[in-house]
Amino acid sequence: MNLALPVLVPVLPALGAVATLASGKRAPGLTRPLAILPVAASAVLALVVALQLGTGQSLDAATRLAPTGGPELSLALHLDGFSSLISVLVGLVATCVQVYSTAYLKDDPRYPSYAALVSLFTAAMFLVVYSGDLVVLLVGWEVMGICSYFLIGHHWETADARSASLKAFLVTKLGDVPFLIGIFLLGADAGTFRIEGVLKAATEGQLSHPTLTALLLLAGVAGKSAQFPLHTWLPDAMAGPTPVSALIHAATMVAAGIYLVARLLPVFLTSGAALVVLSVMAAVTMVGSALCALAQDDLKRVLAYSTVGQLGYMAGALAAGDRQAAVFHLVSHGAFKALLFLAAGVIIHAAHTNSLSAMARMPELRKKVPDAYWTMGIALIALIGLPPFSGFFSKEAVLTAAEHAATGEALTNGLGPASAVPSAAGWIVLVAAGLTALLTAAYAARLWLLAFHSAPVALTAATDAPYSAEIDEADPAHAEPPAMRWPLWVLAIPTMGFGLFGLRSDWLPALLDGGSLRPALETAVIATGLAVAGALIGYGAWRSVTARAAAAAERVPEQAGPPAAETLAPALPKPLADPGRLLLGPLFGPALHGFHVDRLYSALFVRPTLAAAQLVRFLDREVVETYVRGTGTGANLLGWAVRRSQTGNAQTYLSVLLGAVVVLTVLVAVGS
Amino acid sequence: MTFLEMLLRCVAVLMVFLVFPLVIGQTEHKVMAHMQGRLGPMYAGGFHGWAQLVADGVKFVQKEDIVPADADRRVFQLAPAVALLPYLVVLLVIPVGPGGFVGQAVDAGIFFVLAVMGIGVLGSLMAGWASANKFSLLGGLRTAAQLMAYELPMLLAAASVAMAAGTLSLPGILEQFEWWWVPWQIVGAFVFFVAGLAELQRPPFDMPVADSEIIFGAYTEYTGIRFAFFLLSEYVGILVISALTTVLFLGGWHGPLPDQLGWLWTILKTFALALVVIWLRVTFPRLREDQLMRFAWTTLIPLALAQLALTGIVKVAITS
Amino acid sequence: MSLLAAAGPLEPAARSFLSPTGVEIVFLLVGVAVLGAALVTVTTRQLVHAALWLVVALGGLAVEFLLLTAEFIAWVQVLIYLGSVVVLVLFGLMLTKAPIGRSPDADSGNRWAALAVGLATAGTLVTLVVDAFRTSWIDLGAGAGSAKATGEYLFRHWVLPFEALSVLLLAALVGAIVLSRRDDEGKKPRPRPGKLRAGKPVGTSSGKES
Amino acid sequence: MHLAYPAVLAALLFAIGVYGVLARRNTVLVLMSVELMLNAVNLNLVAFDVWLRDALHGGQALTLFTITLAAAEIGLGLAIVLLVFRTRRTADIDRLTALGDPAEDGPAEDDETSDATSAEAVA
């Protein structure tokens, strides 16, 4: 197999990024082709590489990068079914996002730098996927972090975007530091940074502190893949442009963490404690994020919490020892989540607001965006996990893996003994996944119904709707351009059909570890039942609040008249029309604010850091500076004393000089 | 040389000092009177106004000796003596005839003469400053500047003669004298004589006492006998300069008659030069101050240097 | 030399401070006069008097040189110091508007420090000199200071320093001229000074016109 | 003659000159005192020259040079004094203290800067 093809896959978008950035100001016409073509070419190349590699094979190539005293750094390439699958996904999503962006950010003056960053982001993800060396992987990992910082802060005019980008950067870095130490530990124990060397060492039990190493790596994964407790950056990252959200959530950044754990799963299998921690992490993430999603008003934040939850599913599958299921869900989730975000972008574009309650008061929204309406429905069904859409199959795979782990026969597919996975991890994941399936269906139904099927409560609603931060997106007066519509349908195809790949054992499983991905009967029935129940609960709640809202809407004009209705409109209808408030009850407030994890962070990290900074500042200003000023004042005093003697009177100088000469003479005369 | 001889010599010099300037003064009166057609000096004493100078002296002595109220009294009173005394000392060393016919032979005589004459300027300065009068101060300053300026060409011209003779001693120079030195050193003689006139502040170089500008310069406030001292110092000055020019450039005692009458030649030549000085006074108008300085620096000094060069060349030519 | 001879015999008969020779007596007397004049010079409050007392001190020193048989140097002392330096000093005093009478501020504030330093210097130097040359005797013999001798050593052994000194004098001359020039002289065209021509006052009228 | 006489005379003259240089206020008087010191040196040179009977007569030659130098010095010195007098209307040497550092106040305190920093710290 020609090595140039896989090498070109990450190199092309990187070159495209450089070219876009270089030509952005001077040749604006070149920007769009330069943004789309390299990424598209990479996607095609990734597909070609995947096809050439075929199933059940892997390829490793390496060239020494830098000789060091210890473990060597090498530019290593590793291709197998996982990387093929994910690289195709990345290529597909990135291409769609780039195409979509050409229309979405048509009038943005900073479009060239944005496109370049997206290309670079894609290149970094390709690098992470293809890398066979942990240090090179880390390079891609960090480049993604920086790109996400810039992309989330694309609208840096708004304080939200600035703080969100900073938060994303800092939180992911908070995970990256232990991650780096974990990589060094791995390299030190295995004697190499090559992944297959590390895996070999792990299976042979050469790791000296497997639990510690795994936990350190988990910190990085939690940061990158937005797992509890480092998930808080992801909902805030919605301040970035919607295509970026799609890119981050579907294919690149958050996928990187899951992909890394999948690659290094043998390492994690050496530590049962780490797996339990991972499972707890996944469970908390799933349930918590689902509850939060139920309470959110911002469309994109709902989707963001749903991403966090689905990532929890993947982490749960990994905790159950089945990386097949995780990657399966990753790919199917990548497809439908990208679709969800792009559709959401279209909706936001049309409604010109992010707020669900504002959309609810908008008449005939579904008529304005029929493409988004339908594709979003498809994607939501996939999210809920109803057959026969892809989400059903991939979620079933996760549940099956969790069930097997709970019964002590984890589907490790030869990566380690089934007993390596504690059954507690399986149980935790299984219960949490079931609960989450219920909640997911509920918030998906709420989202869908609120956005498209609410009866218009007040005609004036559009005026008070909170505007989207994306002020400079495409003109809302016109219909969505084709570049924003057809990526939706392109992505809808895998959303609907990808799950079928898991049915035949010679298709997708052959590409992966070879285990079965067929849904088991009882879990399928239970999960589907839970999903349907959740959807029905959501529907019921919606009907109930809609009826109450209609009653209230009749009362309001009688009491206060139109002017009062206008002024009170933003405050009154919202709490009534939201089924989430009815369902969550007292939990609604905390869930709306992400269970105050941010406040916890603020208390745990921000305030101590600020206090420490204050202390350092105090020490610097009052203690150190006192000495500095003291030396200054001392020098001043000394200089003042010396200055007193410099009167400019030559005779005084001469008196001292001659007197000193006399004294010297006497001394010499007496001394000799 | 015994103490008695020395005393005799000093007394003789003092006599010369007291008599000759008066003779020159009387001569000036008479000569000027004749030249300018004045009648005044013809009457005093009857016979051709012989007692004019005596009358002047009596008049000066009679007058009150006034010291201005704001003046520095002691300096004011001391100034005429300081102006007068150096000439007396100089007279000591001027040879009159051959064979020790001189007050006191000094080894570096020419040098001594010039050095001591330089002190005379102090008298004018003291007088000008102590009078507490702006015109007097200006006159004193003018005197100082003029004397400093003209001392240099004078020294250079004298150096030329000393070089020719190979000695600094005045009798020594005269012993070396040949008749052709007169044309050889004629430029030096001119420079020396003119510079001497300027040293004396005689017309046309009497800017320090220019009455049309600063009344009477440093001597404005002086009256009576002290003023007479200044006048006397001027006449002694004429005598000294004439005698020095005679000794240095005109051969001194050398003449057609035998050496025993050399003193006569010296006196004759000296008086002839004194007549020239008087003649110049009635002939030339006063220069302006800047013309005076210009004349010294741009005419006399180059001339003196040229003379010096000529002397050197001829001297080397003769000896080699 | 005859003047010196009149002052007393020169033979070094008794080398004792108690039986001084005539030259020594004259030297001491003149020395006392010099010191007195110098003291008055540095203490008097009348500025011009200080300069005049300086004349006395320097003249006394010339006599001391004569007594030390340095005749030529004595005359040089008279010519340069008395004839030129003091005149220049007086000139300077008058140009800087020295007042007649006592100046209350002739001495600066640190005169007591100056007195201390001066006394210390005097004490140290006198002690040192007396200690070192108590028994040394000058044999005042042949006239080593005559013009002839001076010329011989000056132009035989010291020609190069002599010439160098002439260059230095030239530099000092130029420096003094540069320092003395008024700055505004070059700015406006001065009236052209008339030529020196006897009998005709040239330049006065033209000077007024321009 | 005893060498001590001219030597002591020169020493005393020099000390008087030192006193004059240090105590006099008028610059011209200071220059005069310098002349006194120079003459003390001259006297020493001559006396030691006569005492040593040096064939080169270094003492007397140096004396001549010193006198010449003194003439040059006084010329330049007076030119400088006149220039100073012309520009400053004074010849008092202790009023020519332009090279001195005027130190009327106490040592400068940087109060404002410290206040500013503390204000920043509070903010």
Side-chain angles (χ1 to χ4, degrees), chain C residues 134-167:
Chain C
R134 199 167 44 228
T135 58
S136 303
W137 181 262
I138 303 176
D139 195 9
L140 291 171
S146 70
K148 185 176 167 65
T150 306
E152 275 170 0
Y153 68 71
L154 207 54
F155 293 107
R156 192 160 290 160
H157 305 294
W158 298 90
V159 173
L160 198 62
F162 187 83
E163 297 298 332
L165 206 63
S166 66
V167 175

Side-chain angles (χ1 to χ4, degrees), chain A residues 254-265:
Chain A
V254 296
I258 301 301
Y259 175 72
L260 183 88
V261 180
R263 286 291 297 273
L264 293 177
L265 193 61

Side-chain angles (χ1 to χ4, degrees), chain C residues 15-17 24 27-28 31 34-35 38-39 41-44 47 50-51 54 58 61 64-65 68 70 72-73 76-77 80-81 85 88-89 92-93 95-97 105-111 114-115 117-118 121-122 125-126 129-130 133-134 136-142 144-145 150 153-154 157-158 161-162 165 168-169 172 175-176 179-182, chain D residues 1-26 28-29 31-33 35-36 38-40 42-44 46-51 53-83 85-86 89 91-95:
Chain C
R15 302 183 175 182
S16 160
F17 285 102
E24 280 181 330
F27 190 94
L28 277 180
V34 167
L35 283 181
L39 267 179
T41 302
V42 297
T43 51
T44 181
L47 306 184
L54 182 69
L58 298 181
L61 270 178
E64 304 283 48
F65 288 150
L68 286 170
F72 187 78
I73 290 177
V76 170
Q77 170 94 357
I80 303 289
Y81 270 110
V85 169
L88 271 179
V89 166
L93 280 176
L95 282 180
T96 53
K97 296 194 167 58
D105 55 349
D107 287 342
S108 62
N110 53 2
R111 61 179 300 180
L115 186 65
V117 172
T121 310
L125 283 179
V126 169
V129 160
V130 167
F133 305 110
R134 199 167 44 228
S136 303
W137 181 262
I138 303 176
D139 195 9
L140 291 171
T150 306
Y153 68 71
L154 207 54
H157 305 294
W158 298 90
F162 187 83
L165 206 63
L168 181 111
L169 270 180
L179 280 175
S180 311
R181 281 176 71 92
R182 285 182 189 273
Chain D
M1 182 160 39
H2 282 95
L3 181 56
Y5 290 137
V8 169
L9 178 61
L12 290 176
L13 205 56
F14 186 83
I16 290 171
V18 165
Y19 171 77
V21 165
L22 298 185
R24 288 307 214 173
R25 178 169 273 161
N26 191 299
V28 182
L29 292 184
L31 281 174
M32 282 159 55
S33 304
E35 295 303 320
L36 277 181
L38 280 170
N39 268 287
N42 284 350
L43 182 61
N44 249 349
V46 169
F48 281 91
D49 180 81
V50 176
W51 178 50
R53 296 275 165 208
D54 184 17
L56 292 180
H57 283 291
Q60 297 204 14
L62 276 179
T63 306
L64 288 173
F65 294 161
T66 313
I67 291 172
T68 322
L69 279 177
E73 173 248 18
I74 201 82
L76 275 181
L78 280 176
I80 291 171
V81 170
L82 289 183
L83 195 66
F85 185 79
R86 215 152 60 201
R89 313 310 304 168
D92 287 358
I93 200 165
D94 52 1
R95 276 205 256 162

Side-chain angles (χ1 to χ4, degrees), chain A residues 614 617 621-622 625 629 633 636-637 640 643-644 646-655 658, chain D residues 18 21-22 24 30 93-94 96-97 99-103 105-109 114 117 120-121:
Chain A
Q614 284 281 358
R617 184 194 179 98
R621 287 280 161 85
E622 303 301 327
E625 199 131 304
R629 271 205 300 270
T633 313
N636 254 343
L637 277 169
W640 178 75
R643 205 161 74 158
R644 295 282 297 184
Q646 198 193 347
T647 57
N649 190 333
Q651 285 178 319
T652 314
Y653 302 165
L654 208 56
S655 299
L658 285 171
Chain D
V18 165
V21 165
L22 298 185
R24 288 307 214 173
V30 172
I93 200 165
D94 52 1
L96 305 175
T97 55
L99 285 181
D101 207 346
D105 313 326
E109 287 291 340
S114 61
T117 49
E120 270 177 36

Side-chain angles (χ1 to χ4, degrees), chain B residues 50-301:
Chain B
W50 65 270
Q52 174 70 42
L53 207 66
V54 178
D56 276 352
V58 170
K59 183 187 77 178
F60 279 132
V61 173
Q62 275 179 335
K63 280 191 174 173
E64 188 189 357
D65 181 21
I66 298 174
V67 178
D70 283 340
D72 190 324
R73 194 173 188 84
R74 278 189 302 168
V75 177
F76 184 83
Q77 290 172 341
L78 202 59
V82 175
L84 195 55
L85 272 178
Y87 291 116
L88 173 62
V89 177
V90 168
L91 275 180
L92 261 177
V93 300
I94 296 178
V96 181
F101 199 173
V102 58
Q104 168 70 48
V106 174
D107 181 33
I110 197 168
F111 205 69
F112 173 82
V113 166
L114 294 172
V116 172
M117 271 172 63
I119 300 176
V121 65
L122 282 176
S124 290
L125 269 177
M126 285 162 75
W129 176 79
S131 298
N133 180 322
K134 290 259 192 307
F135 296 118
S136 299
L137 185 61
L138 277 177
L141 290 177
R142 280 190 178 190
T143 308
Q146 182 170 337
L147 264 58
M148 301 290 283
Y150 279 87
E151 203 162 311
L152 192 56
M154 208 167 161
L155 254 172
L156 290 173
S160 165
V161 178
M163 217 162 107
T167 177
L168 286 174
S169 163
L170 290 172
I173 289 172
L174 282 178
E175 277 159 20
Q176 301 282 329
F177 183 78
E178 307 283 347
W179 67 268
W180 48 270
W181 282 23
V182 175
W184 181 26
Q185 301 289 344
I186 189 69
V187 176
F190 169 74
V191 169
F192 188 88
F193 190 65
V194 172
L197 277 185
E199 290 266 311
L200 296 175
Q201 303 158 37
R202 289 286 298 180
F205 303 111
D206 60 343
M207 278 66 70
V209 292
D211 48 5
S212 58
E213 299 168 23
I214 48 176
I215 308 175
F216 207 63
Y219 318 130
T220 306
E221 301 285 353
Y222 281 87
T223 57
I225 190 72
R226 291 186 199 280
F227 182 69
F229 278 168
F230 279 118
L231 279 186
L232 186 62
S233 76
E234 189 176 331
Y235 292 124
V236 184
I238 295 174
L239 175 67
V240 167
I241 290 298
S242 303
L244 275 178
T245 314
T246 306
V247 168
L248 290 176
F249 296 98
L250 299 178
W253 64 67
H254 293 280
L257 294 174
D259 278 355
Q260 281 74 20
L261 291 176
W263 57 272
L264 196 59
W265 280 114
T266 307
I267 291 171
L268 274 177
K269 289 173 184 173
T270 303
F271 269 91
L273 282 176
L275 270 178
V276 171
V277 172
I278 295 162
W279 184 24
L280 287 175
R281 175 177 175 182
V282 292
T283 309
F284 281 102
R286 188 182 295 138
L287 292 182
R288 233 177 34 232
E289 185 72 23
D290 62 310
Q291 289 170 330
L292 175 88
M293 287 295 160
R294 187 171 298 269
F295 185 58
W297 292 105
T298 60
T299 310
L300 289 186
I301 287 177

